[in-house]
Amino acid sequence: MGSPGVKKPLRIGLALGSGSARGWSHIGVIRVLERAGIVPDIVCGTSIGALVGAVYAAGELDRFEPWVQGLRWKSVLGLMDFKLGGGLIEGGKLRDFFRARYEDRGIAGLHKPYACVATELSTGREIWLREGSVLDAVRASIALPGLFTPAEHEGRLLVDGGLVNPVPVSLCRAMGADIVIAVDLNWDMMLRRKRVAVHSREGADDAEAAVRAGSGGLLQAIVTRLRPTKAAGGKSARERDLPMPSMLDVLTTSLNIMQMRITQSRLAGEPADVVIRPRLDEVAAMDYHLAAGTIAEGERAAEFALPYLRDLMGMA
């Protein structure tokens, strides 16, 4: 039992939300919190938030961030093992990449309590992954339907946790957090105006170069399918000044709209103490090669929230 009159320290939970490439902004948020002396005790994540959260909970963020900052579209493409059946990307190359560079000591072996969210495909149930392999848990949480194939986990097929709980505040509470700081990446999805294609022109050029270099017929077919199409009458979207999204952008944007609506509902019923919302409407789903600006926006948004956080926690 604690001594009478001794106030128990508040446990801080960090709920890192889903949002594909926008998730690199989580790194900026974490950096600002730690510089301010606000160190989360519990880390939970969904989808890309599960990945960044796992790296942070493992104490590997200093090694991870330079790699993220150095990503180019060609290197992103190199981590994708394309296939048809269950999703465009198998995910084995990505898993092998991280397994070769980071030791998976299991969730119990992380430096901080950690958990992530996935969705059971057959029932739609929300699944909390709190034990076992870190890589397997993250692989399940990031399995965006249509993009990644479902992950097999203990006899179940699991897909992206953003379908049911895009910002896992409830999971942080369940793990004992007294104060929950949530990072919502999808709140401004519908503000996007200028960019609707998944790939920037630079990205498309690099993808085509990879195909010419001999990446394979399947990749050629996929890249062709991802290009913006011509509209009725034979005029391209550019010629008509009306951007025509690619097949993948239609899928990912539709999922993001759904996650935005689910996030609004979940946060209304299970509110966080502080919600950090980076402005990321110009970052498309697959813009993993644009990390520098995305991280900087996470820092900006976290700095904006710091005065309220300090007041909430009684910090001078």
Side-chain angles (χ1 to χ4, degrees):
M1 295 179 61
S3 302
V6 176
K7 191 173 181 180
K8 181 183 177 183
L10 295 174
R11 301 190 77 199
I12 303 171
L14 182 62
L16 302 177
S18 61
S20 300
R22 294 183 294 279
W24 294 152
S25 64
H26 290 317
I27 297 172
V29 170
I30 292 168
R31 293 303 194 193
V32 168
L33 292 178
E34 290 204 320
R35 286 198 297 265
I38 301 171
V39 181
D41 302 290
I42 297 163
V43 182
C44 297
T46 297
S47 196
I48 188 66
L51 172 59
V52 176
V55 171
Y56 177 49
E60 293 283 2
L61 198 61
D62 287 343
R63 192 155 66 98
F64 182 71
E65 184 177 358
W67 174 76
V68 168
Q69 294 268 17
L71 282 174
R72 298 295 178 265
W73 175 248
K74 191 176 295 186
S75 54
V76 172
L77 194 68
L79 291 171
M80 298 179 183
D81 40 5
F82 294 101
K83 64 169 290 182
L84 297 178
L88 286 176
I89 301 170
E90 175 69 27
K93 288 177 70 173
L94 189 63
R95 187 172 54 243
D96 291 344
F97 175 86
F98 283 106
R99 181 167 285 129
R101 288 161 177 79
Y102 299 93
E103 183 180 0
D104 187 349
R105 298 181 179 178
I107 292 175
L110 295 174
H111 295 180
K112 296 176 181 287
Y114 166 85
C116 63
V117 180
T119 304
E120 186 173 21
L121 186 61
S122 62
T123 65
R125 290 194 306 126
E126 180 177 339
I127 304 297
W128 290 353
L129 301 172
R130 303 175 61 172
E131 58 185 21
S133 164
V134 176
L135 285 174
D136 289 349
V138 170
R139 170 63 178 87
S141 189
I142 67 171
L144 189 69
L147 183 60
F148 280 95
T149 58
E152 295 184 31
H153 185 80
E154 297 181 354
R156 299 177 294 192
L157 289 178
L158 303 182
V159 294
D160 197 300
L163 299 179
V164 289
N165 195 354
V167 185
V169 174
S170 57
L171 181 51
C172 276
R173 300 280 190 206
M175 293 181 67
D178 301 301
I179 293 176
V180 176
I181 303 167
V183 185
D184 176 11
L185 305 179
N186 297 317
W187 69 280
D188 63 345
M189 271 299 301
M190 301 316 295
L191 297 179
R192 186 196 300 181
R193 294 178 294 273
K194 297 178 181 177
R195 293 179 42 173
V196 294
V198 171
H199 304 303
S200 64
R201 183 62 254 167
E202 174 192 354
D205 289 341
D206 283 345
E208 291 166 10
V211 171
R212 288 195 299 270
S215 298
L218 177 59
L219 180 55
Q220 171 72 73
I222 291 171
V223 170
T224 301
R225 292 288 298 278
L226 298 184
R227 289 181 183 137
T229 58
K230 288 193 175 183
K235 290 186 177 181
S236 69
R238 181 176 294 179
E239 290 169 334
R240 296 187 303 113
D241 294 325
L242 178 63
M244 182 60 63
S246 68
M247 175 186 71
L248 186 55
D249 196 49
V250 171
L251 173 64
T252 55
T253 302
S254 298
L255 288 169
N256 283 329
I257 292 169
M258 178 187 66
Q259 290 185 44
M260 180 185 70
R261 300 302 186 190
I262 295 171
T263 300
Q264 292 173 342
S265 177
R266 293 294 299 249
L267 288 178
E270 302 158 350
D273 297 282
V274 177
V275 181
I276 297 174
R277 292 187 166 106
R279 284 291 302 266
L280 299 164
D281 55 295
E282 292 299 315
V283 179
M286 296 295 287
D287 281 345
Y288 292 101
H289 59 296
L290 303 180
T294 307
I295 292 171
E297 174 54 23
E299 292 180 331
R300 185 207 63 80
E303 291 280 2
F304 184 79
L306 274 184
Y308 181 73
L309 267 170
R310 290 191 175 107
D311 183 64
L312 179 68
M313 300 178 63
M315 299 173 67

